[in-house]
Amino acid sequence: MRILLPEKVKFIINKLEENGFEAFAVGGCVRDSALGRRPADWDITTSAKPREVKEVFSHTIDTGIIHGTVTVMLEREGFEVTTYRIDGEYTDARHPSGVTFTGNLLEDLRRRDFTINAMAYNERAGLVDAFDGMGDMERGLIRCVGSAGERFGEDALRMLRAVRFSAQLGFELEEETRAAIEALAPQLARISAERIQVELIKLLVSPHPEEVRTLRDTGISRVLFPWLDDMFETPQNNRHHCYTVGEHTVCTLKAVPADKVLRLAMLLHDVAKPCCRTTDEKGEDHFKGHPREGVAMARHILKGLKLDNDTIDRVCSLILWHDDNPPATPRGVRRAMNRAGLRQFPGLFLVKRADAQGKNPVYLQEFLAYVDEYECLYQEILKENQCISLKGLAVTGKDLLAAGVEPGRAVGEALQELLEQVLEHPEYNKKEILLEMLSHRA
Ligand code: ATP
Ligand code: MG
């Protein structure tokens, strides 16, 4: 196996070797290269101690010096160079109590999580694959290095990483690895929200977001995302539906583009359905108010996962309006744009189309045609630069004060009234017309 190393990576490896050390590209970059994918970054592992790495290169940054990581800067590009190490004992399923440097590459590879992540490569030695990572790549398997039970006991996050990699690569969990997750999933409760978030987002924006099913099947979500289990346990006896809330959610995840906000919105758009479900006398289920209740739940969940406020706001707005179906008329659409705010568009159309993909196919074509029409009208409103919010109104509070409106609440109320008129009749959005209308107000 030959891997084409970037020039700068070759330079770093050569330089370390010239100074009497070993050095290899390692981990994700070797895995991705072997799969014919473009690595996101190139990590280097070396027998040189951090101090020695710093002596070899002129520009370095102490990124994680106690863990042995130094960033080597080459023309503003950074490469993480980490000393071969053995993790100390894991006393709490999260942090090694200390790290020990070693001169032996194999020991460094042995501490890594999965066989496909435990390969190293340089041009001199070729591929170092002591745990049959290549074999597992061919078989399409995520398998722990060594005993799965021990490895998950050391660091519980690896269980979530296993599912994340299977979603990114389209691989299966190897049997022992899967069984160990089923046995040890409760230990994930001890992992920090930040680390969970990173893995969940990577899983969601992967080519196989349907792997959220595996989160449930292995018991991971029972511990980390119990609301997901609730969704899978909630039927939808309703003519518009043919799946449980959970299966519906999976369909919609697959149907929306791989974007963080959109995938989170799909994951959570029906999160409140389990608690909003009522069954009428004919046995039909209804989920009244689930978008609004869903926003409250999603906010809580996403805050708990330490997502940033901007992401949370965007996701929550999409959830709030996902089920909003205005009449496909210019004024209906202007009103919908006013309600939801411009920022939700055009993402909201993607959400609505994806949502439809997970419902009773009988109504699919009709609904998609409606969304097309909705979007056309939206485009036209944008093109004509029609006013859909107070910001676009041709008069401001100042204008109203100058026209004699009492300062205070009356100004806001008058603006709102004029906006209502303009949403109905965009052609009224001219200063003279609006001031004229104001003077005729009761
Ligand atoms: P990505 O493409 O998402 O960056 P990656 O494989 O590079 O994937 P990283 O989280 O960047 O994943 O980690 C780099 C390498 O470090 C991994 O390939 C693996 O060898 C090792 N590693 C990372 N996290 C762990 C962990 N929790 N336990 C054991 N080894 C780990
Ligand atoms: Mg990486």
Side-chain angles (χ1 to χ4, degrees), residues 228-382:
L228 189 65
D229 294 53
D230 294 343
M231 291 200 280
F232 277 104
E233 281 147 31
T234 303
Q236 308 192 84
N237 295 316
N238 176 304
R239 65 195 171 91
H240 288 287
H241 285 281
C242 48
Y243 300 118
T244 64
V245 176
E247 276 306 317
H248 161 75
T249 297
V250 167
C251 291
T252 68
L253 278 171
K254 285 197 287 186
V256 89
D259 164 85
K260 170 169 147 179
V261 167
L262 293 174
R263 290 265 164 101
L264 280 170
M266 290 340 292
L267 180 70
L268 295 167
H269 76 289
D270 280 349
V271 70
K273 273 191 169 180
C275 63
C276 291
R277 174 165 169 257
T278 55
T279 308
D280 66 21
E281 59 285 359
K282 287 184 223 122
E284 268 209 41
D285 292 329
H286 304 278
F287 304 93
K288 246 188 122 214
H290 78 274
R292 191 162 289 278
E293 189 59 32
V295 168
M297 288 180 69
R299 204 166 268 292
H300 182 75
I301 290 164
L302 297 174
K303 259 198 165 344
L305 283 169
K306 310 281 184 204
L307 274 136
D308 61 282
N309 287 333
D310 182 61
T311 302
I312 297 178
D313 288 345
R314 283 168 175 267
V315 171
C316 286
S317 297
L318 290 170
I319 295 172
L320 184 59
W321 301 108
H322 79 268
D323 219 13
D324 186 39
N325 297 316
T329 61
R331 68 137 77 103
V333 173
R334 280 193 297 272
R335 290 198 166 280
M337 290 165 72
N338 170 252
R339 278 197 292 276
L342 259 194
R343 219 161 87 108
Q344 301 335 310
F345 296 88
L348 189 58
F349 299 121
L350 299 170
V351 167
K352 295 185 80 66
R353 291 192 180 101
D355 193 14
Q357 299 290 344
K359 297 189 186 181
N360 186 344
V362 169
Y363 303 105
L364 180 61
Q365 288 316 316
E366 191 190 336
F367 187 78
L368 290 180
Y370 159 76
V371 179
D372 286 347
E373 219 179 318
Y374 182 176
E375 182 160 18
C376 266
L377 289 164
Y378 155 85
Q379 293 292 357
E380 233 159 84
I381 289 162
L382 282 191

Side-chain angles (χ1 to χ4, degrees), residues 9-23:
V9 173
K10 278 193 219 167
F11 173 82
I12 292 171
I13 292 174
N14 286 340
K15 196 106 190 221
L16 285 164
E17 287 183 342
E18 281 165 21
N19 284 271
F21 304 108
E22 291 178 14

Side-chain angles (χ1 to χ4, degrees), residues 26-29 31-32 38-41 43 80 85 87 90 94 108-114 116-119 151 154-158 161 164-165 168 195 198-199 202:
V26 71
C29 61
R31 174 198 71 221
D32 288 343
R38 221 186 126 82
D41 41 35
D43 295 328
E80 290 199 350
R85 59 177 230 220
D87 291 335
Y90 287 77
R94 280 184 299 190
D108 179 87
L109 295 178
R110 186 170 293 123
R111 71 165 172 94
R112 293 173 184 270
D113 46 9
F114 307 110
I116 60 170
N117 287 346
M119 297 185 287
R151 307 319 307 283
E154 290 163 359
D155 179 3
L157 185 75
R158 291 171 185 157
R161 284 172 62 85
R164 181 263 275 200
F165 283 117
Q168 286 181 321
R195 295 179 80 201
V198 169
E199 300 302 326
K202 285 186 176 178

Side-chain angles (χ1 to χ4, degrees), residues 128 196 220 231 272:
V128 180
I196 304 274
I220 290 178
M231 291 200 280

